[in-house]
Amino acid sequence: MLAARDRGYQYLAITDHPRGTLAGQDVEIDALNERLAPFRILKGIEVNIRIDGSLSLSDDVLAERDWVIASLHAAFDRNGTERVLAAMDNPHVDCIGHLTARKINLRGPADIDIGRVVEKAVETGTFLEINSQPNRLDLRDTHARVAGEAGVKIVVNTDAHQLDALRHIEMGIAQARRAWLTKDQVLNTRSWPQIQKLRK
């Protein structure tokens, strides 16, 4: 948190994959928020989109989170587009993470109908992510441009699992620039209260 604050961030979302109860993490986040104010830690989660399009956590749990990312993490050849569209219908899903699930030089992208996903994102008010990890950079620049031009707000996210990975934000920003995105088209150029007004 201190590293994020030192980078000039006003807030940081913790979006771990669900492992057991979140109560302990919430207590820790509450204590840190008291110490680090006005810097804010958001209680987030990254949920899996299952093969049938349902999510790996219940709506009751998701409703308690400040920020919810839904992502494909398995069965990439199984109805990827339909699964993502179903996830975007969930009122608690803020953002679709690394849409095509590609890993550069390791795994090709899932067969996702970008046009349909962008249309659904506009309809449901769901954001799309540029994942700044060097082996992802997903959304790719052409897809991010299509989404931005359609009116979808793009989140540039580090997906950091360690401190050094916070610096990958520069790669995500470069990807957004390659997509010709403006400051207004990037969601997290805003303050957290401003973002809350744009959520579903």
Side-chain angles (χ1 to χ4, degrees):
M1 305 314 147
L2 295 177
R5 190 178 66 176
D6 289 346
R7 293 183 66 90
Y9 292 3
Q10 297 175 9
Y11 53 88
L12 183 74
I14 302 298
T15 56
D16 290 339
H17 295 284
R19 293 182 181 87
T21 178
L22 297 168
Q25 185 185 81
D26 287 353
V27 169
E28 188 174 354
I29 288 175
D30 287 340
L32 285 169
N33 276 333
E34 284 190 24
R35 284 175 44 202
L36 299 175
F39 180 84
R40 175 155 182 190
I41 304 165
L42 306 176
K43 297 172 183 175
I45 197 83
E46 183 174 6
V47 291
N48 299 327
I49 304 173
R50 295 176 172 144
I51 292 176
D52 64 358
S54 66
L55 303 177
S56 58
L57 286 177
S58 70
D59 282 355
D60 289 345
V61 174
L62 299 182
E64 296 175 351
R65 300 291 92 191
D66 294 320
W67 186 253
V68 176
I69 301 174
S71 308
L72 298 173
H73 288 109
F76 304 112
D77 60 339
R78 302 278 297 277
N79 304 316
T81 300
E82 300 303 326
R83 291 159 65 191
V84 169
L85 296 179
M88 288 195 287
D89 272 328
N90 187 295
H92 305 296
V93 170
D94 296 296
C95 181
I96 299 297
H98 48 73
L99 175 60
T100 72
R102 73 172 183 174
K103 286 198 172 179
I104 298 170
N105 294 329
L106 294 174
R107 180 175 67 220
D111 185 16
I112 302 292
D113 186 328
I114 302 300
R116 290 181 65 198
V117 168
V118 167
E119 182 179 340
K120 189 73 167 184
V122 172
E123 174 192 328
T124 59
T126 308
F127 311 119
L128 298 178
E129 172 196 79
I130 289 178
N131 186 301
S132 301
Q133 287 292 316
N135 68 342
R136 285 197 186 272
L137 293 177
D138 184 14
L139 298 169
R140 62 187 308 162
D141 54 353
T142 52
H143 297 161
R145 183 167 187 176
V146 167
E149 288 178 346
V152 179
K153 294 290 189 283
I154 305 298
V155 179
V156 181
N157 170 29
T158 59
D159 195 13
H161 292 76
Q162 58 275 331
L163 286 179
D164 284 350
L166 287 175
R167 61 187 171 84
H168 294 324
I169 194 67
E170 303 298 336
M171 299 189 74
I173 292 169
Q175 187 84 329
R177 286 175 174 159
R178 283 172 56 90
W180 290 89
L181 296 182
T182 65
K183 180 179 178 181
D184 181 65
Q185 291 170 312
V186 176
L187 181 75
N188 49 325
T189 59
R190 296 164 173 78
S191 68
W192 176 240
Q194 289 171 327
I195 290 174
Q196 285 181 296
K197 293 177 182 178
L198 294 173
R199 295 174 69 211
K200 293 179 181 177

